[in-house]
Amino acid sequence: MLDGRVAIVTGAGRGLGRAYARALAAAGASVVVNDLDAEVAAETADAITGAGGAAVAHVGAVGGSEFADALVRRAVDEFGRLDVMVTNAGALRDRTLRNTTDEDFDLVVTSHLRGTFTCGRAAAARFREQGEGGRLILVGSPAGQRASFGQTAYSASKGAIVAMTRTWAVELAKIDVTVNAIVPTALTRMVATMPGLGDLVAKVDAGEPVPEAARRQGLGSPDDVAPLIVYLASKESAQVTGQAIAAGGDRIALWTHPGEVAEQFRPGGWTAESVGELFSGAYADRLQEYRPTPLDLEAIAEG
């Protein structure tokens, strides 16, 4: 499906990024494996080449323009072109608002949001130069779609990435570049600290199968998300752009774009009192749910 295509995956040393890189290579793509950790980047690249694929490791932290440009140059120098950019990398500093320092916030936003921006911009410039279109696959999160306690900086970054997806999809359509955001869920180290999931992550890490009840709720292995990446990287996905697509376990879903859900008019304008009447009356049952959809942990425990 991806023979002759070249992809970059940032944050590809572990977890979801590693699964994306390996799946792209298995589908025929040559892959630049980026990670901050040189050892795990090399392990992923070696696993790909050991299986007969083509890959090189490129070590470093995303965020700055110089690194993004160097990452794209590496793909071109090694494989002659670039067709796909998957912006998976990012750091975590989970803190509630009162405990989030400036340094925490800057680290998370720089790695996730600025890293996506600079890598996306560098890839788009190369796509424009080649004149053959391209694929930008940006990585969002449920934390950017609904509330996620203790993740101020991460939620802000992931929500912004999905918003950026829509804008880039409009801007880059004229050069045949599609831009989509994925919203992945998987049983990785990132979710092991969530109440009720630590034991399940440990069992899956030990080789036990993911319970069907968990898979139906969008929880599986990183490999369950990878087929969506392969499809979005392919020529077959040319009609899909500007979308936020959830994937995990047995589930693929489309997130809505923000839209107004109710409107009221008042001739002559509003007063504070009439606004209060609106929210205690017509809008009282139209307020939007902002909290995450709870998992059915009892069903998961029962298998």
Side-chain angles (χ1 to χ4, degrees):
M1 180 178 272
L2 300 180
D3 288 350
R5 293 173 82 76
V6 178
I8 295 171
V9 183
T10 68
R14 296 184 176 91
L16 285 162
R18 179 182 173 92
Y20 304 158
R22 295 187 68 172
L24 289 166
S30 300
V31 184
V32 177
V33 175
N34 161 251
D35 204 277
L36 181 60
D37 186 324
E39 183 176 349
V40 298
E43 287 175 358
T44 299
D46 289 346
I48 289 171
T49 56
V56 293
H58 192 87
V59 179
V62 301
S65 297
E66 289 186 5
F67 184 78
D69 292 342
L71 197 54
V72 171
R73 280 198 307 273
R74 182 69 186 279
V76 175
D77 289 346
E78 292 285 346
F79 303 118
R81 59 183 295 110
L82 178 66
D83 301 282
V84 182
M85 171 68 80
V86 184
T87 59
N88 176 72
L92 283 178
R93 290 294 184 273
D94 288 353
R95 308 276 194 277
T96 57
L97 175 59
R98 68 176 181 173
N99 294 318
T100 301
T101 66
D102 291 358
E103 292 75 18
D104 292 334
F105 188 85
D106 289 345
L107 174 66
V108 174
V109 172
T110 296
S111 59
H112 285 281
L113 182 55
R114 196 166 191 269
T116 296
F117 162 66
T118 56
C119 289
R121 183 179 60 184
R126 179 63 194 180
F127 296 156
R128 188 181 300 275
E129 181 180 341
Q130 290 175 176
E132 299 175 31
R135 301 285 183 267
L136 291 179
I137 304 171
L138 314 185
V139 180
S141 167
Q145 305 296 101
R146 302 287 283 271
S148 185
F149 188 91
Q151 292 195 311
T152 290
Y154 182 71
S155 295
S157 299
K158 291 304 191 181
I161 285 169
V162 174
M164 201 156 59
T165 296
R166 294 189 287 268
T167 294
W168 288 2
V170 171
E171 292 182 353
L172 300 177
K174 61 185 177 183
I175 60 169
D176 296 324
V177 173
T178 66
V179 190
N180 291 286
I182 64 163
V183 183
T185 50
L187 291 166
T188 66
R189 295 182 304 166
M190 284 184 63
V191 303
T193 57
M194 294 175 62
L197 292 184
D199 289 345
L200 180 57
V201 172
K203 290 178 181 179
V204 172
D205 283 346
E208 294 188 26
V210 179
E212 182 180 350
R215 294 187 60 83
R216 287 190 59 81
Q217 294 183 65
L219 292 174
S221 73
D223 290 335
D224 291 315
V225 182
L228 174 62
I229 299 292
V230 172
Y231 169 72
L232 291 176
S234 72
K235 294 180 180 179
E236 285 78 2
S237 66
Q239 80 284 5
V240 180
T241 193
Q243 302 303 301
I245 308 169
D250 294 336
R251 182 173 176 272
I252 290 180
L254 290 177
W255 280 92
T256 62
H257 295 313
E260 296 174 345
V261 296
E263 64 177 6
Q264 293 284 331
F265 296 92
R266 187 172 187 271
W270 295 87
T271 64
E273 290 73 19
S274 61
V275 172
E277 293 170 1
L278 177 64
F279 277 89
S280 63
Y283 282 1
D285 62 351
R286 301 304 300 273
L287 298 180
Q288 300 297 287
E289 181 55 70
Y290 60 93
R291 290 163 294 195
T293 304
L295 294 169
D296 186 346
L297 296 175
E298 184 176 340
I300 292 174
E302 292 175 354

